Amino acid sequence: MTWASWTTVGIHARPGTVRTVEAGVLDGDVTIHTTWSEEQAHVAVQYTGATDWFTMIGSPVPCFSEEDSRSFHQAVVEAVRGGEDAERKLQRLFER
């Protein structure tokens, strides 16, 4: 089985932007972690420095290569950093 993972620390999420399955909406200083295996990207988020991880709504998403998954991770990070458009951008990304 092939797998890969990426983590980006210290992302400022605006209120209402990052939606999770387990904890609802997170905002403030967050860390995003993506794990790719079996042609799916699993995206989790936590408050930076915390121990609990939460699944982002819409995860996992199909990603048929490691490169696609890395690009997806970066797109999620950039969307969260995207200011007022962040929620809309994330919604589009997870609807793939």
Side-chain angles (χ1 to χ4, degrees):
M1 176 173 89
T2 303
W3 70 275
S5 67
W6 300 273
T7 303
T8 304
V9 178
I11 305 161
H12 180 75
R14 293 173 55 96
T17 301
V18 177
R19 299 183 181 282
T20 71
V21 173
E22 303 87 355
V25 178
L26 303 184
D27 56 50
D29 188 6
V30 300
T31 296
I32 296 174
H33 178 79
T34 302
T35 303
W36 174 75
S37 66
E38 299 180 12
E39 298 186 341
Q40 291 194 332
H42 299 263
V43 184
V45 62
Q46 71 174 180
Y47 286 111
T48 299
T51 57
D52 294 327
W53 288 95
F54 306 106
T55 305
M56 287 187 73
I57 288 181
S59 178
V61 298
C63 283
F64 300 106
S65 70
E66 183 177 335
E67 183 178 330
D68 285 347
S69 181
R70 175 67 179 110
S71 295
F72 182 75
H73 172 82
Q74 191 59 41
V76 170
V77 169
E78 294 304 319
V80 171
R81 289 179 176 154
E84 293 179 18
D85 282 348
E87 188 175 358
R88 185 174 50 81
K89 288 177 184 176
L90 284 170
Q91 195 170 24
R92 272 191 270 138
L93 282 170
F94 283 100
E95 289 176 349
R96 329 175 0 145

